[in-house]
Amino acid sequence: MAIPKQLPCETILAGIADGVFTVDLDWNITSFNEAASHITGVPASEALGSKCWDVFHSSLCDGQCALKACVGGAPAVSGKSIFIVRTDGEKVPVSISAAPLHDEAGKLIGGVESFRDLSDIHRLRREVERSHTFEDIVGKSPALEKIFAILPQVARSDATALILGDSGTGKELFARALHNLSDRASAPFVAVNCGALPETLLESELFGYKAGAFTDAKRDKPGRFQQAKGGTIFLDEIGDMPMPLQVKLLRVLQDKSYEPLGAVRSETTDARVVAATNHDLQALVAEGRFRQDLYYRLNVVQLRLPSLAERREDVPLLVNHVIRRLNAVQGKDIEGVSEDVMALFMRHSFPGNVRELENILEFAAILCPSGFIQVEHLPEQMQPAGRSMDLDRPCSEPMTLEEAKCRAVLAAIQRNGGRRMAACRELEISKDTLRRTLARCEKLGLK
Amino acid sequence: MLLCLACYGDRLASLAENADQYRLYRVQDGHAEPEGGIAPPDRDPASLARAMAACGVREFVCGGITGCCRRHLEITGVRVRPWVSGDVDEVLAAWNAGGLEALSMPGCGGPRCDQPGLGRGCGGMRNRNQSCARGAGQRPGGRKWETKS
């Protein structure tokens, strides 16, 4: 809908909450509305006639100007997340949109940029994240809320707990939470990876040895069970524990006693055992690779952690959480991720779960030490351009309507051995519709 | 005395953190002679401040700057002259004449822009004092390049 010509543009611009400014072809500011003054802290009287980079001070101003790109013929920018720096040194997150300006004859005369202050949204996001953080575990999904609800009660009991979940779902984090919330919090939390050591080494690691037990055993060495006295021992990858050791662990769970290598007397332990695995222990039991009696001893309380794909709504919270940690640990100054990146994350299946998300953000932080992480900062496999359509992806996963159409068309072509007319007949569409859809697929970077 | 200008091309960068060159000038008897530049390993405030301190920069002239970056630099003993705009030659001439104020960026005519410590500028996500004190001046970083004559 066109704006009637007699309407005063200045009044309209003055009444909107977004900052708007226009520039001529020499990047001199030609108009600057009230909201723009309010957000940047620069009065319109001083901004007018100045170079836009001297007023806007954005993360893109020197060399990556979105407005310059638009005026130069690139597509208009919409909703790009960046930050500007106000004259008091305060960083303000904004979302910008930019487009070229043409006169009535169609001649290029400059550009227009609008920007929205995202400070309140960012502040709200941080508050939401804080309210959904439980013992350093971040999430608000129903699957996780259910675990959060029972975690304190489970922690207070001394029952053995079995944590199940795919790789990268944070099993050790939950084990630590169980320890921190228990009465044992002041005693040690000892983690052992049962899959990382060979059988003999794992036995001496868990139970320790006595001097003279074997060559070079000059002194007694306490095992991890002894180190975890009064605390919690976390046995990760319990599904990889060798059978002979499973018997010894069973005895610990039954009698609270064990024998260090070379010892003539049993020792007792009061450590609480929390075990975890990404294997299907019941299947291992059925295959005879895991003792059934040990499985039942371990499986007193079972916590099944959802994969990240099952709690997709937690992705934004996790992203903020990881970025905050990267900022604190690595001295980065990252504001967040752009909306494009977040959209990509929301569609990604994350087979590596939270660990994969952390790795992606850590990679991006190397290329983007400050400001907002953009799509180009992501690892190559996450880049949308040139990505191939995964036709085996389940239909239940989130995707755009365009993606769904591409997926249907590409799958039909594949089913019909590359014969396009056969695909058209199957889909009941014309060959022109097929051609247009394929062109859009290519534009989306889907092959 | 070593002076550093945060530049983008032949002008001061709009933001100190955005600069593509940190040009160094040796000032003697009122004349500023080019003395190469600094390529910090990273653009985060702590790395930038460490690089400046390691090269012995005493004064840093720049366009916009976040409060965080400014504090990092000032903790390492670098005097920051922010919110200045203009071409490099113009800025050097003004600096020599003691008239940088004339090149103040729009909205920076008053005292507000020259108050150190204003503005969080660290994303607002970290404790202000911790984030800005940590790292600054801990270890030298960056490398200095020489001007080809």
Side-chain angles (χ1 to χ4, degrees), chain A residues 158-161 225 231-235 249 252-253 271-275 298:
Chain A
D158 269 343
T160 306
F225 270 100
T232 305
I233 184 163
F234 173 56
L235 302 175
L249 178 61
V252 176
L253 294 174
R272 182 193 192 178
V273 175
V274 176
L298 288 172

Side-chain angles (χ1 to χ4, degrees), chain A residues 3-16 20 22 31 33:
Chain A
I3 297 174
K5 282 181 181 171
Q6 68 272 21
L7 280 183
C9 277
E10 278 179 17
T11 314
I12 296 170
L13 288 177
I16 61 174
V20 181
T22 56
S31 73
N33 76 343

